Amino acid sequence: MNPSLFECAVAATAFKLLLIPAYKSTDFEVHRNWLAITHSLPVSEWYYEVYSSTHLNSILRNPITDSRFPFTVLENLRMDPRLPPFFAAFEWALSQFARFFDPEMLKVENLNYSSIQTVYFQRLSVIATELLLVYALHLYIRTTGDAVRRCAHAAALSILFSPGLLVIDHIHFQYNGFLYGILFLSLILAQNRRTLLPSGILFAALLCFKHIYLYLAPAYFVYLLRAYCMDDSIFDIKFWNLAKLGGSVIAVFAAAFGPFVYMGQMGQVVARMFPFSRGLCHAYWAPNVWAIYSFADRVLILIAPKLGLSVNTSALSSATRGLVGDTSFAVLPDITPRTTFFLTLFFQLLSLIKLFLHPTPPVFLSSLTLCAYASFLFSWHVHEKAILLILLPLSLLVLSSRRFLSAFRPLAVAGHVSLFPLLFTPAEFPIKTVYTLLWLLVFLVAFDMLAPAAEGRSWLLDRFAQLYCIVAVPLVVYTSAVHQWVWGAKWEFVPMMFVSSYSALGVVGSWVGFMYLYFVA
């Protein structure tokens, strides 16, 4: 007998409750700071909050750092891009409940504040708001046909138990669960032409919660324009539908940003949301093309004298750190934000052309996934956590055809293994490794059993997926245990570099395979 989604949600929640005392990153303090700012300060100061010199001196005397990551909480607060206004309003709403747990957490001056009550409140708020994701998965199962409901149930459970969400939200600390709940509700509504308008409204609201979902916006724009605002002929425009969609989206953005436009603060809000002064790579390289590029630069530094290549000595330490303005490479040419923008746009347009010509729900979901791939692989200053933008939507596709499994397997391994360096404390090591291994074993085997047979599979992609998964095992063992045992504190960044670069190969290989299936198979 298969366990129901409700039973699995209860079990997952019980497990997450056990993780309340677990390690938490500086993001925990960032969100506590958000609670304090939105509760204590007027809206006009939400995007301008500045600590007094006394408060700065206090935190500098007692900084909290993530070992191996070159940021104090203060630097994180200074550099963390403020999220859009709807998320600020969400934090304000949470603060109305937080005051019943511990009013001290809502004081802006209480930097690094993490009382037991504060920890419990913030952890429980993540669990509670994730119920929206559970509801979205329930609706996804209910709206699928009887013939594929078993596959939809398996896909929903894989998302519910996602190691990525567990690591990022319930240990590292963020609020991604309820945001993906909004995304999945929008995707579900997009499957039916009668609910395309509310789908677009929900996605517009999602952008006002977290602007990272702009990665997916081109697919939404093309699909809604073609499927909702046009008939079969692109010259037959439904002007009333166009007006309704455009008016609704404008209304959503006006509700979010209108007060800041009125106060003359829109420039400040945009500057905080899009910090292009940051470096190309994050402190820990996200597993994308620029991780491979950075790794190649590191290798070329070693062999440059033999090859007669010039080395920019001032950049020897910069390519491995995502500090503000830190974008230089020692041997390879520097990458500019404009370069990353045009590469991202080019590879997104490739999938959008097919979507424009064939605006069907399966093509839309595939194109949306490819837009996420392109943005993750080529964008400027990508965070490793953004891998969920590819992993979770692709989970809805993988059981529609067995051929997608070959692209999903290396992505599932690479995506989850790339998150391991986020949790570097010994207590969390067995949690992240055992839990992820069990998830991979259970769901990859289940997907292999459930996925319907299909023509157009690639033998080369299948072999790559198998080999990649096999090599990942010794890599994790070396980077997690052997390296420290052999080298101690020396070459501390090397394990993360190996994990990031190898994970990048998996993501790139998965992307190439999925592109092939999308266009050719």
Side-chain angles (χ1 to χ4, degrees):
M1 181 178 179
N2 294 326
S4 68
L5 181 68
F6 174 77
E7 291 170 336
C8 290
V10 171
T13 301
F15 181 67
K16 291 164 187 174
L17 288 173
L18 296 176
L19 298 176
I20 287 178
Y23 158 82
K24 55 187 183 296
S25 73
T26 54
D27 280 352
F28 182 90
E29 170 61 16
V30 169
H31 283 283
R32 188 218 57 83
N33 190 54
W34 258 111
L35 288 173
I37 289 172
T38 56
H39 184 83
S40 305
L41 301 177
V43 175
S44 59
E45 296 182 30
W46 283 4
Y47 288 86
Y48 281 92
E49 193 275 326
V50 178
Y51 298 106
S52 69
S53 58
T54 303
H55 299 148
L56 294 181
N57 290 334
S58 173
I59 191 173
L60 284 172
R61 284 196 300 268
N62 185 31
I64 291 179
T65 60
D66 283 357
S67 172
R68 304 194 232 175
F69 291 84
F71 301 116
T72 63
V73 169
L74 172 61
E75 289 168 332
N76 205 358
L77 292 174
R78 278 177 169 168
M79 296 165 54
D80 186 73
R82 301 290 185 174
L83 293 169
F86 277 6
F87 196 91
F90 166 74
E91 292 278 9
W92 174 86
L94 287 180
S95 74
Q96 306 309 304
F97 298 95
R99 58 196 175 100
F100 296 111
F101 282 72
D102 185 356
E104 293 297 311
M105 80 172 83
L106 301 176
K107 295 182 178 179
V108 177
E109 63 269 20
N110 282 348
L111 297 177
N112 297 348
Y113 190 79
S114 58
S115 66
I116 294 296
Q117 294 89 338
T118 302
V119 172
Y120 268 83
F121 172 76
Q122 291 196 238
R123 292 290 196 191
L124 290 174
S125 66
V126 174
I127 295 173
T129 55
E130 198 177 58
L131 291 175
L132 183 60
L133 175 62
V134 177
Y135 172 72
L137 295 175
H138 163 73
L139 194 63
Y140 166 66
I141 296 172
R142 198 180 69 181
T143 54
T144 55
D146 293 336
V148 294
R149 185 156 296 171
R150 192 179 178 193
C151 292
H153 185 76
L157 292 186
S158 74
I159 295 170
L160 177 66
F161 288 111
S162 167
L165 286 175
L166 184 83
V167 167
I168 296 172
D169 281 12
H170 300 281
I171 303 179
H172 185 271
F173 195 84
Q174 282 190 6
Y175 289 93
N176 290 291
F178 91 93
L179 295 173
Y180 280 102
I182 298 173
L183 175 62
F184 285 144
L185 286 175
S186 176
L187 291 175
I188 292 164
L189 292 172
Q191 303 301 304
N192 191 324
R193 285 184 176 265
R194 292 176 298 179
T195 53
L196 287 175
L197 179 60
S199 171
I201 294 172
L202 266 181
F203 184 73
L206 180 62
L207 292 178
C208 296
F209 273 101
K210 196 168 186 178
H211 51 300
I212 195 173
Y213 292 97
L214 281 170
Y215 288 178
L216 313 179
Y220 264 94
F221 175 80
V222 171
Y223 181 61
L224 292 175
L225 177 68
R226 190 68 178 85
Y228 185 71
C229 301
M230 296 179 181
D231 273 324
D232 292 338
S233 171
I234 62 174
F235 301 103
D236 190 359
I237 300 174
K238 302 177 181 178
F239 288 101
W240 177 233
N241 284 4
L242 183 63
K244 286 190 294 182
L245 180 61
S248 299
V249 172
I250 291 172
V252 170
F253 279 89
F257 295 98
F260 300 97
V261 174
Y262 176 78
M263 293 182 288
Q265 297 183 0
M266 197 57 199
Q268 173 69 8
V269 173
V270 172
R272 296 300 295 272
M273 288 171 54
F274 299 97
F276 282 106
S277 59
R278 289 184 169 192
L280 172 67
C281 297
H282 193 233
Y284 160 55
W285 306 342
N288 60 11
V289 167
W290 309 126
I292 299 174
Y293 193 84
S294 298
F295 181 78
D297 190 67
R298 299 287 95 183
V299 173
L300 287 173
I301 291 172
L302 300 177
I303 62 175
K306 297 180 180 179
L307 299 178
L309 300 174
S310 61
V311 177
N312 178 8
T313 55
S314 64
L316 287 178
S317 62
S318 68
T320 60
R321 298 180 298 145
L323 300 179
V324 173
D326 187 18
T327 60
S328 298
F329 291 91
V331 180
L332 295 175
D334 288 343
I335 303 298
T336 65
R338 180 177 295 182
T339 301
T340 65
F341 172 79
F342 283 114
L343 282 173
T344 303
L345 182 63
F346 172 76
F347 285 110
Q348 285 189 338
L349 285 174
L350 292 180
S351 67
L352 295 175
I353 293 172
K354 180 176 179 179
L355 176 61
F356 187 82
L357 297 174
H358 305 283
T360 63
V363 175
F364 165 59
L365 189 53
S366 298
S367 178
L368 179 138
T369 303
L370 284 172
C371 283
Y373 266 116
S375 299
F376 183 84
L377 289 173
F378 298 103
S379 290
W380 182 269
H381 197 82
V382 175
H383 285 241
E384 65 284 344
K385 308 175 199 72
I387 192 67
L388 294 183
L389 283 171
I390 310 171
L391 263 171
L392 299 187
L394 186 55
S395 300
L396 302 180
L397 272 173
V398 67
L399 287 175
S400 62
S401 173
R402 180 173 294 275
R403 62 189 183 186
F404 290 130
L405 271 176
S406 297
F408 183 77
R409 287 192 190 102
L411 178 70
V413 174
H416 291 122
V417 169
S418 71
L419 298 174
F420 281 7
L422 290 176
L423 307 180
F424 49 82
T425 51
E428 279 68 40
F429 175 76
I431 298 174
K432 67 182 182 183
T433 52
V434 175
Y435 186 91
T436 301
L437 180 61
L438 287 174
W439 185 93
L440 289 170
L441 288 173
V442 170
F443 286 103
L444 291 185
V445 170
F447 288 176
D448 191 62
M449 295 172 59
L450 292 172
E455 296 181 358
R457 294 178 64 185
S458 168
W459 179 89
L460 183 61
L461 182 58
D462 287 342
R463 300 293 83 76
F464 167 77
Q466 292 174 0
L467 179 63
Y468 185 85
C469 295
I470 292 171
V471 176
V473 175
L475 175 76
V476 171
V477 172
Y478 174 79
T479 56
S480 300
V482 175
H483 179 86
Q484 187 175 9
W485 179 69
V486 174
W487 300 102
K490 288 185 62 179
W491 310 104
E492 199 172 25
F493 190 79
V494 169
M496 287 196 294
M497 182 174 66
F498 283 166
V499 169
S500 181
S501 302
Y502 187 75
S503 297
L505 289 176
V507 178
V508 171
S510 171
W511 169 64
V512 171
F514 192 76
M515 286 273 283
Y516 166 78
L517 296 172
Y518 181 73
F519 287 109
V520 179

